[in-house]
Each structure stands twice: as C-alpha cells, then as structure tokens.
Amino acid sequence: HRKRIIMPGLALVIGGIAALYIGPPVMFGALFWFSFAMILATTGFSILTININLIGGFWSGNTKTRIAISSWREGFGLIGLLTAAITPSVLGLRFPDHITFPLLFGLFFILICVGYALFMKFLSEHASLSSKTGAASNFAFISILIKRDPAFFVICFISYFAASVPAAITLFFIRDYLNAENYAGLFLALYFISGAVFIGAWSNLARRYGGWRTWLFAHLLTIVTFGWAAFLTPNDIIAYAAICILSGTALGADLAFPPALLAARIDRSARRDDATQYYAALSFLPKFALALAAFGTLVTLDIFGFNAGSENSPEALRVLLVCYAIIPCIIKAVSAMLISNMIIKEGPRDENFKGGTPNGTTHVS
C-alpha cells in the first residue's frame, strides 16, 4: 500500500507548511496554531522519509551501490536544506513578510508536487520496490528496536544523540560564547555545504574499507573536531569556521551510513517482509535523540544560571562549552567503541560492505 500511504503523508506536509506560512485565523492563538501546524508537518515528513529511505535501502542488492545511493540522496537533501534556509532571506530582501511567506509556500508546493510525481513514476517503473509487506501494529517498530537488532539501533541512537547535543545549543554557543552572532548564517552554511560536498567521498571510502570501518573513521573525525572546539575562546571565528567545515564533513557519513547499513542487516536476517518497520524505527531514533538532547542540555544550562542573549557568568559559559564540545566527544567515543566491537564481532560480514551481494535481494539497473 506504499503509494496510498504516501498520499496522506504529502497532504499532511502541505497542510502543515501552509498553516505555518499563512498564519493562524483570528480565533486561534499563535502558540496553539504553531503546535498544530508543526504536528501536521512533522508527521507527514516522517511518513515520506520512511518510505524514501526504504526505497533507497533496497534499490540495489550490491551494498557499495546502496551506500552510494544513500550518500547521493543525503547530499541532495543537504543542498535542498541549504536552499530552503536561504530562500526566505532572499525573498525578504525584496518583499515584506506578508508576501514573502505565501510566495515561499507557493514555491514549496510546486516543488513537492513535482517530487511526488517523480517518486510515483519511479515506483511504477520499479514495482518490486513497493512489494507487499506483512501486517504490523502501529508500534511494531518499538519491538524491532528492543528485540530484533538492538545492538545496531543502540549504536545509531548514541551517534544521533551525540550529534543532537551540540545541535540543540549551537546558536547559544555562537552568540553567547563566541560573540559571533553576525556570523551564525555563515557557520551553518559552511557546515551543511561541507556535508554535501564530501558525502560522495564517504561512499568511495566505504567501497574500499567497508561501511562500518568508514563510519568509525567519521566518528573519530567528529571527536577530534569537537575536541578542538573545547579549546575555543570568545571571538575565535576562523577556528570555529574550520570546525564547522570538519564537523560538516563527518555529517555526511552520519546521514548516509545508518540507512544503508540497516538494509544489509535486514537482508541477512531475512525479515524484509516488515522492512518498513525497520526504517520507521531508524526514523524515530534521531527525533527521540534530539528531544532528549534538547531537554537535557537546556535544563542543565538553566540549573547553572545560563540565560540566552544576556550577560552570563564565567561558570555558566564554561558549562555551555562543556555541553557543546566535551559531552558530545564522550558520547561519540562510546558510539565509536560499540562500532569497533561490531567490527570485531562481525568482521567477515563487514566485508560485504565492500560490494558483496547478499542473496535474495532485488537489483535495479
């Protein structure tokens, strides 16, 4: 029922974005309307991304090709993210807000309809990728997280959590610690552009060294990068720009490898009949990690008296630095150790990520 599932997902995304950009009717409060619109948009987004990730995961039985597919998909996703982030500012230079946001919605609506048409055409041409799946409850993905392949999902969650901690407080760090608020857009652009540019390099490395080993190398790069961030002082703009480039480079691996590696594990465990639930589980993890990271970091900063956009004590700024740079290194190191253990435990099987073809998979030329 994949084609019928995608349609309501598309409707929810369009409805949610329309509600955000057009604004609340007079009878609704802004906070209620914002929450309602975000629920619609993020629910629809999850439906669409779960299905897109699933298709990418089974596009090819050759694992190195699958990793390349995931890498290119995430690379184009980062380009789309940058375009979406820049477009409101560009339109805002020429039009007032009450015109800018309806124009932005019109552009979004056209693009997502084109994307939907292309995706439906792709599914029609490759019907085997939209094969029937076994019946499952709405929360079957929780059982998969806990029972089916917990070691893999624990690694993914810890890796996502390590990335979510600094993501939740990046703007605080830039504004209140570095005193570089005017450069925030540049820093974020460097981060995402480097992720998009280097995502193909991770695919090439995976062909030579294997998926797990390459992802481990990306972990080590992240640890070194954020270890450097721990030594930054206010106004270290050039050093932080370099950190954004290096950490953005590692971002490509964190985006591309989990869905590609998951597909191979589903192949080996012969549970492709409920593969959608596996990708639902993988889609759930970064959202859950970001929620926990935001809650934990914001509460911690509040306990130590940090006030965003205000004068803060040296102690509060040190806590901000620790939360942004040191804690993610520790968490990422735990994830790296678990990956090392996975490589040791499944050494011969990891060789499959250099291009082996698991039995029983579908090839699409």
Side-chain angles (χ1 to χ4, degrees):
H1 305 291
R2 194 165 311 286
K3 293 182 179 180
R4 288 194 292 272
I5 290 171
I6 291 172
M7 178 61 78
L10 185 78
L12 288 171
V13 169
I14 292 174
I17 297 298
L20 283 172
Y21 287 175
I22 296 173
V26 177
M27 70 285 298
F28 289 101
L31 181 60
F32 170 81
W33 188 260
F34 176 80
S35 302
F36 170 73
M38 287 298 295
I39 289 171
L40 291 182
T42 55
T43 301
F45 177 76
S46 293
I47 293 171
L48 296 179
T49 53
I50 287 169
N51 283 280
I52 290 173
N53 284 339
L54 177 73
I55 298 303
F58 288 112
W59 190 350
S60 170
N62 186 312
T63 310
K64 69 177 182 180
T65 303
R66 185 185 297 142
I67 291 176
I69 292 166
S70 295
S71 298
W72 280 106
R73 182 190 65 226
E74 299 301 337
F76 280 111
L78 289 175
I79 294 171
L81 177 62
L82 277 171
T83 305
I86 293 170
T87 303
S89 298
V90 173
L91 291 175
L93 294 174
R94 184 175 179 86
F95 304 103
D97 285 351
H98 71 278
I99 296 178
T100 293
F101 285 98
L103 282 176
L104 191 62
F105 172 74
L107 177 61
F108 159 80
F109 181 79
I110 292 171
L111 290 176
I112 199 169
C113 287
V114 171
Y116 171 76
L118 292 174
F119 193 47
M120 290 298 101
K121 183 176 183 294
F122 177 85
L123 288 181
S124 297
E125 292 175 351
H126 307 297
S128 62
L129 294 175
S130 189
S131 57
K132 294 180 180 180
T133 59
S137 69
N138 292 335
F139 297 98
F141 72 92
I142 295 179
S143 174
I144 288 172
L145 286 172
I146 297 173
K147 298 179 180 179
R148 296 290 182 88
D149 199 351
F152 173 80
F153 287 115
V154 166
I155 292 172
C156 291
F157 173 75
I158 295 175
S159 179
Y160 288 140
F161 188 68
S164 297
V165 170
I169 56 175
T170 294
L171 295 180
F172 297 161
F173 183 79
I174 293 172
R175 179 186 58 200
D176 298 299
Y177 185 84
L178 291 178
N179 300 322
E181 183 177 8
N182 293 336
Y183 296 94
L186 173 63
F187 293 145
L188 294 176
L190 289 175
Y191 177 72
F192 288 115
I193 289 173
S194 63
V197 168
F198 288 99
I199 202 165
W202 292 114
S203 175
N204 291 332
L205 287 173
R207 293 177 186 176
R208 182 172 182 179
Y209 298 107
W212 282 113
R213 293 174 178 84
T214 307
W215 196 21
L216 175 60
F217 177 76
H219 275 58
L220 299 178
L221 176 60
T222 300
I223 293 169
V224 171
T225 300
F226 275 90
W228 180 13
F231 295 96
L232 291 179
T233 57
N235 301 310
D236 279 344
I237 294 174
I238 295 177
Y240 186 67
I243 288 171
C244 289
I245 294 171
L246 292 174
S247 59
T249 301
L251 167 70
D254 285 334
L255 291 174
F257 284 113
L261 294 169
L262 176 61
R265 302 186 74 80
I266 297 173
D267 286 340
R268 289 201 299 260
S269 61
R271 293 193 180 100
R272 187 175 171 181
D273 60 325
D274 56 1
T276 301
Q277 295 295 332
Y278 276 82
Y279 281 91
L282 189 65
S283 179
F284 167 79
L285 290 180
K287 298 176 177 63
F288 184 53
L290 183 59
L292 286 181
F295 175 77
T297 53
L298 296 179
V299 169
T300 300
L301 291 175
D302 184 64
I303 291 173
F304 285 91
F306 175 81
N307 292 303
S310 304
E311 289 291 330
N312 287 283
S313 66
E315 180 188 21
L317 292 177
R318 280 195 298 271
V319 172
L320 175 62
L321 180 63
V322 168
C323 289
Y324 182 81
I326 297 177
I327 291 177
C329 286
I330 297 172
I331 300 172
K332 205 72 173 179
V334 173
S335 180
M337 288 188 292
L338 292 175
I339 290 177
S340 298
N341 183 65
M342 185 73 76
I343 293 172
I344 294 171
K345 181 180 178 182
E346 303 185 359
R349 294 160 79 178
D350 187 55
E351 295 301 316
N352 292 333
F353 290 94
K354 299 181 183 179
T357 304
N359 294 328
T361 58
T362 301
H363 296 258
V364 177
S365 301

